Amino acid sequence: MSKLFVGNLSYSTGEAELRQAFEGIGALRSVAIITDRMTGQPRGFGFVEFEKKDDAERAIATLDGQQVDGRTISVSIARERERSPG
């Protein structure tokens, strides 16, 4: 899988900044910052999807524990979203 979870983002980090941090690794398919449905405020995490699995693995090795906008981010393989019952 080439989709990565990016945690501990600064609330001021936008999709453009997140894209800039990851695009040097390889070709990106998508970048998303997750926001609160009620307030529209960023929730401090997002997802980055690479075209190639190798690039995603290199991004984890390169960027996990690095500083982005003054915060030490965590980068890992994204888990499938759990379906809520009902």
Side-chain angles (χ1 to χ4, degrees):
M1 169 146 265
S2 61
K3 190 171 190 176
L4 302 179
F5 170 83
V6 184
N8 201 38
L9 291 172
S10 167
Y11 294 126
S12 65
T13 301
E15 289 182 4
E17 291 85 2
L18 190 58
R19 179 177 296 278
Q20 186 176 14
F22 282 82
E23 68 187 353
I25 305 283
L28 296 173
R29 186 175 292 165
S30 65
V31 174
I33 299 281
I34 305 306
T35 57
D36 184 276
R37 289 185 189 151
M38 302 294 276
T39 66
Q41 297 296 315
R43 294 184 59 197
F45 68 93
F47 296 93
V48 176
E49 189 171 8
F50 282 91
E51 295 284 340
K52 297 179 182 173
K53 183 179 178 183
D54 291 348
D55 291 339
E57 291 170 355
R58 192 166 46 253
I60 293 170
T62 305
L63 295 172
D64 184 46
Q66 296 300 307
Q67 294 274 320
V68 173
D69 287 343
R71 299 286 299 265
T72 301
I73 62 169
S74 62
V75 182
S76 60
I77 298 290
R79 295 190 314 242
E80 281 294 317
R81 186 173 179 177
E82 293 181 14
R83 304 271 182 216
S84 56

